[in-house]
Amino acid sequence: MRYISTRGDAPPRDFEGVLLAGLAEDGGLFVPETWPVLTSAEWRKLRGLPYPQLAARILSLFTGGQPDEATLRPMLERAYASFSTPAVAPLVQIDHRTFALELFHGPTLAFKDMAMQALGPLFDHVLTRRGERVTIVGATSGDTGSAAIEACRDRSAIDIVILHPEGRTSAVQRRQMTTVMADNVANIAVDGSFDDCQDLVKAMFADAEFRGEVRLSAVNSINWARIALQIPYYVASALALGAPDREVAFAVPTGNFGNVLAAWAARRMGLPISQLIVGSNRNDILVRWITGNDMSARAVEPSHSPSMDIQVSSNFERLLFEMLGRDAKATAEAMRRFRAEGKMPIPDAAWKSACQVFRGFALDDPGTLEEITRLHGQGYLADPHTAIGIAAAMHVPPADPAIPVIVAATAHPAKFPDAVRQATGLEAPLPPRLADLYDRPERFTRLPNDLGQVESFVRAHIRRNTA
Ligand SMILES: *Cc1c(COP(=O)(O)O)cnc(C)c1O
């Protein structure tokens, strides 16, 4: 199994190479050279497997035997043992055709744990075997950072530095990152937006000298292994509701387009998924694209669903590459124009064919609170991201009422207590293992949106740990 860059100007790599590299050298994203496709009989055989075993089977389709399924299985069994339910990702019925796929039962209470808890051990396995070390840098609008830190803390082959936009994450999100006192963990609060943080990370990767010096790696959703580890829960939930003998649809609250891209990948692999419904908050670039082929970036506005306060959805590039018939030159040119002009030109034919699969729905903050209130009235307590996903499922469902809609429930309501309180009057309690979060001391460094200063900080952090 080999991986190629969406921009066509980087050498192909194997799974381990892609895992360690994150972004390709040409600024593109790695995608499988060919997609594994399963027959109906092969999908049926996966029914009823415990989640970690199913995940190991699916992941092994992307590793090309390195690591093999026998190595992955115990690794993933241990990784998902940190979840508070043995089901790992339980399905909860919301109404006659709508189901919440709860992806928030991991240590940091958001769906990022689904991939990240497995990614830490995967990195460790590969690095230890090779006798190497890496520095992981990542940008987070909230949940990626804490999930990455939980996955990498105290691992001797890894240093990790996470950038978050100062004041734009919830207090729970920030504290989940800044209260981890492991020596290999550092947090930077950047004076800027999430997109600024993401740009700083991309700029560090583009700085070849720095990249080599600190052996830079990424665990944000541009890392292919993250996407691969998000495919299994789409498979498991679809199988549970009757696939491959019945079509299903998914609704996914979206920011960086990673989670919904994993659903798209499951469809590409032959799972019968009729529709992918994208939910956005007021930062609705993806919905504007789906409903009118308008892919133009606007300023990022803060919302009740901060993990979706994003205008430049990095994983969209993978879909773009596929939509353009895997034409890397055209992909690189569209990305260049998006950078330069803030608007991505996508041919009408490509957009129309994507619209056969994608639906979009955006909800502002008042609408999000109303949806949380409505769902609470029906007996389901949803966080703002999940509420947007469920609202999208309700507003633009598949035409055929026999098709169930599975909503990715991406965060535990206790992670966004202010919105939940405003909408329901309830205090969603933190689970026991996080109950003292507000009493723990915090550690982070404030820096301006300046590449030179951020790079110096990363160097100093590593020097401290390898001295
Ligand atoms: C990260 C995140 C999202 C968005 O996921 P993407 O893969 O970036 O689209 C949605 N909800 C929550 C709670 C998240 O943490």
Side-chain angles (χ1 to χ4, degrees):
M1 169 64 84
R2 295 203 313 170
Y3 291 83
I4 54 173
S5 165
T6 50
R7 300 196 191 173
D9 211 13
R13 296 189 181 224
D14 62 6
F15 178 81
E16 290 191 359
V18 164
L19 173 77
L20 297 180
L23 199 69
E25 289 86 341
D26 59 1
L29 275 58
F30 285 111
V31 289
E33 194 168 46
T34 54
W35 288 98
V37 175
L38 278 63
T39 62
S40 292
E42 287 168 329
W43 288 122
R44 275 184 215 110
K45 273 202 210 126
L46 300 174
R47 276 189 191 145
L49 283 181
Y51 188 80
Q53 283 184 34
L54 175 76
R57 180 77 55 82
I58 299 291
L59 186 59
S60 72
L61 299 174
F62 292 100
T63 60
Q66 186 86 287
D68 62 10
E69 191 183 339
T71 309
L72 291 171
R73 191 189 287 189
M75 199 187 286
L76 297 192
E77 279 167 351
R78 269 196 303 278
Y80 292 115
S82 68
F83 280 57
S84 58
T85 161
V88 182
L91 266 179
V92 175
Q93 187 154 13
I94 303 285
D95 67 19
H96 66 285
R97 74 180 298 192
T98 314
F99 297 78
L101 172 61
E102 294 189 342
L103 303 173
F104 53 70
H105 295 287
T108 72
L109 311 183
F111 92 92
K112 307 291 193 299
D113 288 329
M114 295 294 302
M116 216 67 95
Q117 281 296 300
L119 205 61
L122 252 181
F123 260 83
D124 231 26
H125 170 81
V126 174
L127 290 169
T128 306
R129 202 173 52 71
R130 296 184 173 203
E132 292 175 9
R133 263 186 89 77
V134 294
T135 304
I136 286 170
V137 297
T140 188
S141 58
D143 295 329
T144 310
S146 54
I149 287 170
E150 274 308 321
C152 297
R153 60 182 299 172
D154 301 314
R155 292 189 186 275
S156 57
I158 302 174
D159 281 300
I160 176 163
V161 181
I162 296 294
L163 285 63
H164 70 267
E166 177 157 29
R168 308 228 192 158
T169 62
S170 79
V172 179
Q173 288 178 318
R174 188 192 68 243
R175 288 186 153 274
Q176 282 184 319
M177 299 189 283
T178 58
T179 59
V180 175
M181 291 298 153
D183 284 341
N184 69 329
V185 172
N187 282 284
I188 302 177
V190 174
D191 184 10
S193 68
F194 168 68
D195 286 338
D196 293 331
C197 294
Q198 189 150 272
D199 284 346
L200 283 166
V201 168
K202 286 200 166 178
M204 282 188 264
F205 273 94
D207 179 344
E209 201 187 317
F210 178 76
R211 178 179 175 153
E213 177 193 335
V214 306
R215 298 199 54 89
L216 216 52
S217 192
V219 296
N220 51 356
S221 64
I222 56 175
N223 194 308
W224 170 257
R226 283 264 309 269
I227 305 291
L229 282 161
Q230 289 171 185
I231 298 171
Y233 50 75
Y234 291 108
V235 174
S237 56
L239 295 178
L241 292 186
D245 304 302
R246 181 196 196 191
E247 280 189 308
V248 302
F250 287 102
V252 186
T254 302
N256 246 330
F257 207 72
N259 206 8
V260 68
L261 186 88
W264 180 89
R267 186 175 187 276
R268 181 67 187 75
M269 292 165 71
L271 202 62
I273 297 171
S274 71
Q275 235 87 68
L276 295 170
I277 304 164
V278 169
S280 291
N281 59 32
R282 59 201 290 196
N283 300 292
D284 61 350
I285 181 169
L286 289 164
V287 172
R288 280 186 282 119
W289 174 67
I290 291 166
T291 54
N293 199 8
D294 170 20
M295 179 68 95
S296 57
R298 295 181 185 161
V300 179
E301 307 270 0
S303 78
H304 284 318
S305 43
S307 299
M308 299 166 22
D309 290 347
I310 290 169
Q311 283 287 345
V312 179
S313 302
S314 26
N315 266 296
F316 185 76
E317 183 167 342
R318 289 189 163 109
L319 181 70
L320 179 69
F321 178 70
E322 301 287 349
M323 281 192 308
L324 297 177
R326 302 203 132 204
D327 181 338
K329 265 213 178 75
T331 306
E333 175 58 14
M335 293 308 297
R336 191 194 62 74
R337 284 191 52 190
F338 189 47
R339 268 286 113 186
E341 296 158 25
K343 187 165 166 46
M344 194 185 301
I346 295 174
D348 251 22
W351 168 66
K352 286 214 176 92
S353 102
C355 290
Q356 314 259 312
V357 182
F358 287 96
R359 301 269 184 284
F361 179 75
L363 198 58
D364 61 9
D365 274 355
T368 304
L369 295 182
E370 274 171 37
E371 183 66 5
I372 297 174
T373 309
R374 186 187 75 81
L375 287 165
H376 176 234
Q378 295 193 354
Y380 191 73
L381 194 58
D383 98 288
H385 305 77
T386 302
I388 289 174
I390 295 174
M394 300 288 165
H395 280 85
V396 284
D400 179 351
I403 296 177
V405 188
I406 302 166
V407 181
T410 52
H412 191 291
K415 204 152 186 185
F416 299 93
D418 297 344
V420 170
R421 192 184 312 112
Q422 270 187 59
T424 65
L426 287 181
E427 290 295 335
L430 282 167
R433 63 179 158 194
L434 287 171
D436 68 340
L437 188 66
Y438 284 94
D439 304 323
R440 299 179 196 165
E442 290 188 81
R443 185 171 71 191
F444 63 92
T445 303
R446 289 193 181 84
L447 288 180
N449 178 12
D450 177 89
L451 180 63
Q453 292 198 39
V454 171
E455 288 187 347
S456 305
F457 177 89
V458 174
R459 281 196 189 93
H461 172 64
I462 297 167
R463 221 175 296 126
R464 228 182 1 256
N465 289 325
T466 49

